[in-house]
Amino acid sequence: MKRKKLRVVMAGFGNVGQKMAAMLTGERDRYPGLAGLELEPVAIVTGRHGGLVDPKGIDLGRALAQYREQGGFPAAPMTALQALETLDYDALVEISTLDIAGRGGLAMAHVRAALERGRHVATANKGPAAFAYAELAALARKKNVRFLFESAVMDGTPIFCLGRALRGLNVTGISGIFNTTTNFVLSRLEAGESMASAVKTAQQLGFAEADPANDLEGWDSSAKVSVLANFFMDAGIDPLRVDRRGITGVTADDVARARAAGRRIKLVCRAWRENGRVRAEVKPREVEAGHYFSAVNGRAAALRLEFDMLGPLWLLEENPDLMDTASGVLQDLLAIASES
Amino acid sequence: MKRKKLRVVMAGFGNVGQKMAAMLTGERDRYPGLAGLELEPVAIVTGRHGGLVDPKGIDLGRALAQYREQGGFPAAPMTALQALETLDYDALVEISTLDIAGRGGLAMAHVRAALERGRHVATANKGPAAFAYAELAALARKKNVRFLFESAVMDGTPIFCLGRALRGLNVTGISGIFNTTTNFVLSRLEAGESMASAVKTAQQLGFAEADPANDLEGWDSSAKVSVLANFFMDAGIDPLRVDRRGITGVTADDVARARAAGRRIKLVCRAWRENGRVRAEVKPREVEAGHYFSAVNGRAAALRLEFDMLGPLWLLEENPDLMDTASGVLQDLLAIASES
C-alpha cells in the first residue's frame, strides 16, 4: 500500500508521543491499520525536554532513539507555537498535558494557531475541547480542516468517531466513570487501605501523577465531562462550570457503609439538560451492585449515553494502557490522512 | 428543514414496520432527528396480512391507520419481489422475520433483487447479512448503493455505524450476549422456576415467539454472531456453520450450582480467528460475578469487540423495545437519504 505522508508539528513527546513513534516505526508490523500512514514531523517540541526542528522532515524512529538515549532533545531552536506559525505542515499533533489552571494553556494556543492557518489538529489534550469546543469546531469548519480529539476521553475508545457517524440520534444525557486514579483509590479504600496509602500505591504503580490533585479533586473528570457535553450536547460549558466534588472527602467508613449495603462508591460524571441549558457535575456516588458502573474496576472506564430515538447505550473500556491513548491519536491522524 | 423524500418498498409491516410508521407520522415531533426524512412507500407487502401497492405513493399514516383498524391490508396485487422488480423506488425496507431453515428465505431474494436494480437496502432481518454478507456487500459496492442492517444485532445500537467509521482498527475477536429470550429464561431459572414455566412466562410477557425454538436452540444468536463475524472479520460464515448449543439442556440444577459459586449461566456468542479462518460458537457459559456479562439482565444485550490497535471495547444496551429496533432501520434510512 502506498503510504500517505502527513507532515506534522508535534507539541509534546512524553509517553504518548513516544508510544506513537514506536507504533509507527519499530512496532509497525503489529498494526496493519497503520500501513497507509507515514508521519513526518517538521518539528517535535516538548515543554521541558527540548525539541527538534527540521523543515525538510525528521525521521521519527531516529528521533525516538535519540530521545530515549539522551533523556530528551537538545534545546529547541523555537517554541511549538513558533513552529506552528512559521513552518509548513499538514497537521498539529498536540500531546502535551492538561493545564486546568491556565484554562487549557499552551495547548489551546497551539490548536488555535494551527486551525487559524488551516491545518488539521489531532490532540490527546482535553483542554481545547473542554474549554473552547464550540469556538474551535467552528474555526475548523470555516477553514475546512479537522479538529479531532479521540484520546481526550477514555483513551482511544472511538467515542467521538461514533458520535460523528450517528444519524438521527440526539444525545439527551451523559454519565460515566472516566478517571483511573480515583477509581483505583476507591477500590483500595474498599480493601481497607487509608486514602493516603491508597494514593501512594497509585503513584507507585504509575496510575497517579506526582501531584494527584487533578485526579482526586475531580478536575480530570470535569474536563472529560465538559468535552463530552460540549461535543454531544452543544453545552458550551467548561471544567470550571462543572459542579465538582472530588473524592478527597470520601472516608474508609463511607466506603465500608456503602459496601455493607451492597453498593460501591464511584466518582460519577453526569451531564443533562435543565431549563434549556446543559448542566454537568462530578460527584462521588453510591452505585448498586449489578449495575454496570459497579463493575468498572481498576483502569476501566464507562460512558452511558442517553438518546431521544434510542435507549441508553454504554461504551466501556477494560484496561487501557499507553497503546490505547496513542491509538486514539493515530485514529485521528488516519481520519485526517484519508481526507487530505 | 426541507424533507428528503425516499420512495420505498416495504417488505413486512409487523410490529417494527408499524412502529416506524408511527414514528414518522403521529410521533414525529418526539424525534427531531427525523425532521429531514420522509418515507413514501410505493408498496407495502406483508407475508400473511395482504399489502398495498401504488406507484404514485402511499400515505404512511393512512396505511398505518388502515392496517390497525382492519388487522391487515387487502390482498396484495403483487408480491414484494414483483414490486421490487417492477416498480420505481429508492430503497427496500426489509422488515420480515428471520427464516433460518430457508437460509434467509424471501428476505434474501428481496435484498438481492433491490441491489441488482441498484436500489439501497435497509433491513432489520438478520438473514441476508448472516447468510450472504460478502456477496451482498460486494453487489452493493458494484451498484454504488448502500446495504445496511443496523437493527440486525442489538436493535438500533449503532454497531455497524461505528464499524464503518473506525479508522485503523482491525477486529480480532467478538463475544456477546444477544438474545433476549434466553437471557430472560436463564434469569427465571436462577429464581427457581422450571424451564417450561420460564418459557411460558417469556411468551406471556411477549419476549418469546409462539415457537421459541429459534431463540432457545441458539439460532437467533447464531445468526447474530454470523452477521458480526462477517461484517467485522470477513468471516464468510453463516448460522449453519456456527458451533451452536442452545439452553434447552440447561437445568435449574446447573444454574443453582453456578450461582452457588458466584457465577451466572449466559448464552454467550464468540467469534475468533484460528489457523487463518474465523470460527464462531454459541454456548451456555458460566460468567463471573463482577464481569460485565454477569450484569446483562432482562432484555439487555452486550457486545465485546477485541482489536489489534485498541483494548477491548464493550457496547451495551439496557432495555430495548420496539422503538429501538425501528430506530435502527430509520438510522439506516437517514444514512441512505443523506447520500441519495
Side-chain angles (χ1 to χ4, degrees):
Chain A
M1 187 191 293
K2 196 173 170 327
R3 288 193 193 160
K4 171 83 189 181
K5 191 193 285 187
L6 273 189
R7 291 164 64 86
V8 297
V9 170
M10 297 180 76
F13 199 66
N15 291 333
V16 173
Q18 291 169 52
K19 182 66 185 171
M20 282 176 60
M23 291 170 75
L24 284 164
T25 55
E27 301 174 8
R28 184 182 268 276
D29 289 350
R30 290 187 222 167
Y31 307 107
L34 295 177
L37 180 67
E38 185 174 339
L39 227 56
E40 185 180 76
V42 293
I44 309 177
V45 185
T46 76
R48 290 171 296 133
H49 296 93
L52 302 175
V53 174
D54 186 345
K56 296 193 302 294
I58 296 163
D59 183 280
L60 197 54
R62 246 176 277 158
L64 177 62
Q66 180 183 355
Y67 191 94
R68 286 181 168 167
E69 275 160 26
Q70 301 171 11
F73 295 127
M78 61 177 75
T79 65
L81 191 57
Q82 288 167 333
L84 290 163
E85 286 173 341
T86 59
L87 301 180
D88 187 29
Y89 60 99
D90 302 306
L92 160 63
V93 179
E94 169 55 61
I95 42 181
S96 64
T97 49
L98 176 62
D99 175 4
I100 286 278
R103 298 184 64 89
L106 277 177
M108 188 79 86
H110 294 162
V111 170
R112 256 195 210 108
L115 294 177
E116 283 288 2
R117 285 191 68 198
R119 313 301 161 106
H120 302 284
V121 170
T123 172
N125 188 303
K126 291 167 278 295
F131 280 99
Y133 173 74
E135 172 210 328
L136 299 172
L139 180 55
R141 265 193 307 276
K142 183 177 139 197
K143 300 287 187 174
N144 200 24
V145 293
R146 309 295 306 268
F147 167 46
L148 302 177
F149 40 87
E150 195 58 88
S151 290
V153 183
M154 286 174 64
D155 311 283
T157 304
I159 295 172
F160 304 103
C161 165
L162 172 63
R164 290 184 191 94
L166 291 177
R167 297 279 176 192
L169 304 180
N170 294 295
V171 173
T172 54
I174 293 168
S175 56
I177 299 174
F178 305 128
N179 182 265
T180 298
T181 304
T182 49
N183 209 39
F184 175 83
V185 166
L186 290 168
S187 304
R188 302 294 286 205
L189 291 186
E190 286 175 345
E193 217 169 322
S194 73
M195 177 67 74
S197 161
V199 171
K200 190 168 289 178
T201 308
Q203 288 168 328
Q204 280 161 355
L205 292 175
F207 283 14
E209 309 276 316
D211 176 3
N214 249 357
D215 292 321
L216 301 182
E217 292 174 4
W219 284 116
D220 174 75
S221 293
S222 295
K224 287 171 175 167
V225 75
S226 296
V227 174
L228 291 166
N230 287 338
F231 175 83
F232 279 110
M233 301 176 77
D234 290 324
I237 60 167
D238 68 54
L240 304 172
R241 288 196 281 152
V242 173
D243 185 8
R244 176 188 51 78
R245 193 168 82 236
I247 66 160
T248 48
V250 176
T251 66
D253 274 359
D254 296 333
V255 168
R257 243 194 319 271
R259 202 69 169 153
R263 293 194 281 268
R264 307 184 69 182
I265 297 183
K266 296 285 182 187
L267 187 62
V268 174
C269 304
R270 289 177 59 222
W272 68 97
R273 225 173 273 282
E274 193 177 297
N275 300 326
R277 290 186 50 193
V278 175
R279 292 189 50 196
E281 67 170 30
V282 173
K283 295 270 170 71
R285 298 174 79 91
E286 294 193 6
V287 299
E288 305 284 338
H291 189 279
Y292 294 126
F293 275 158
S294 176
V296 176
N297 287 308
R299 294 204 298 278
L303 167 65
R304 180 179 185 269
L305 295 172
E306 289 167 44
F307 300 96
D308 52 357
M309 199 175 75
L310 189 74
L313 167 67
W314 290 79
L315 288 137
L316 302 112
E317 64 176 352
E318 268 180 29
N319 212 4
D321 58 23
L322 265 185
M323 187 265 283
D324 294 82
T325 313
S327 171
V329 185
L330 291 166
Q331 292 171 50
D332 287 344
L333 290 168
L334 285 162
I336 288 168
S338 76
E339 292 187 10
S340 60
Chain B
M1 186 192 295
K2 196 172 170 329
R3 288 194 194 159
K4 169 84 189 180
K5 191 193 285 186
L6 273 189
R7 291 164 65 86
V8 297
V9 171
M10 297 180 75
F13 201 65
N15 290 333
V16 173
Q18 291 169 52
K19 182 65 185 173
M20 283 177 58
M23 291 170 75
L24 284 164
T25 55
E27 300 174 8
R28 186 182 264 279
D29 289 351
R30 291 187 220 167
Y31 307 108
L34 295 178
L37 181 67
E38 185 176 339
L39 227 55
E40 186 181 77
V42 292
I44 309 177
V45 185
T46 76
R48 290 172 295 133
H49 296 92
L52 302 176
V53 173
D54 185 344
K56 296 193 302 294
I58 297 163
D59 184 280
L60 197 54
R62 245 176 279 158
L64 177 62
Q66 179 184 355
Y67 191 94
R68 286 181 170 167
E69 276 160 27
Q70 301 171 9
F73 294 127
M78 61 176 76
T79 65
L81 191 58
Q82 287 168 333
L84 290 163
E85 287 173 340
T86 59
L87 301 180
D88 187 28
Y89 60 99
D90 302 307
L92 159 64
V93 179
E94 168 57 60
I95 42 180
S96 64
T97 48
L98 176 61
D99 175 4
I100 286 278
R103 299 185 64 89
L106 276 177
M108 188 80 84
H110 295 162
V111 170
R112 257 196 209 107
L115 293 177
E116 283 287 3
R117 286 190 67 198
R119 313 301 160 105
H120 303 282
V121 170
T123 173
N125 187 304
K126 290 167 279 294
F131 280 99
Y133 173 74
E135 171 210 328
L136 299 172
L139 180 56
R141 266 194 307 276
K142 183 177 140 197
K143 299 288 186 174
N144 200 24
V145 293
R146 309 295 305 269
F147 167 46
L148 303 177
F149 41 87
E150 196 59 89
S151 290
V153 183
M154 285 174 66
D155 310 284
T157 303
I159 295 171
F160 304 103
C161 165
L162 172 63
R164 290 185 193 93
L166 291 176
R167 297 280 177 193
L169 303 180
N170 294 296
V171 173
T172 54
I174 293 168
S175 55
I177 299 174
F178 304 129
N179 181 265
T180 298
T181 304
T182 49
N183 209 39
F184 176 82
V185 166
L186 290 169
S187 305
R188 302 293 287 205
L189 292 186
E190 287 174 344
E193 218 169 323
S194 72
M195 177 68 74
S197 161
V199 170
K200 190 169 288 179
T201 309
Q203 287 168 329
Q204 280 160 357
L205 292 175
F207 282 14
E209 310 277 317
D211 175 4
N214 249 357
D215 293 320
L216 300 183
E217 292 174 5
W219 284 115
D220 175 76
S221 293
S222 294
K224 287 170 176 169
V225 76
S226 295
V227 174
L228 291 166
N230 287 338
F231 176 84
F232 279 110
M233 302 176 77
D234 290 324
I237 60 166
D238 68 54
L240 304 173
R241 287 197 281 152
V242 173
D243 185 9
R244 176 188 51 80
R245 194 168 80 236
I247 65 161
T248 47
V250 176
T251 66
D253 274 359
D254 296 334
V255 168
R257 243 193 319 271
R259 203 67 168 154
R263 293 194 281 269
R264 307 183 71 182
I265 297 183
K266 296 285 183 187
L267 187 62
V268 175
C269 304
R270 290 175 59 221
W272 67 97
R273 224 173 273 282
E274 193 177 297
N275 300 327
R277 291 185 50 193
V278 175
R279 292 190 49 195
E281 66 170 31
V282 173
K283 295 268 171 73
R285 298 174 80 91
E286 295 194 6
V287 299
E288 305 284 337
H291 190 279
Y292 294 126
F293 275 156
S294 176
V296 176
N297 287 309
R299 292 203 299 277
L303 167 64
R304 179 180 186 267
L305 294 172
E306 290 167 45
F307 300 96
D308 52 355
M309 200 176 73
L310 190 74
L313 167 68
W314 291 78
L315 288 138
L316 303 112
E317 64 177 350
E318 269 181 28
N319 211 4
D321 57 23
L322 265 185
M323 187 267 283
D324 294 81
T325 313
S327 170
V329 185
L330 291 166
Q331 292 171 49
D332 286 343
L333 290 168
L334 285 162
I336 288 168
S338 76
E339 292 187 9
S340 60

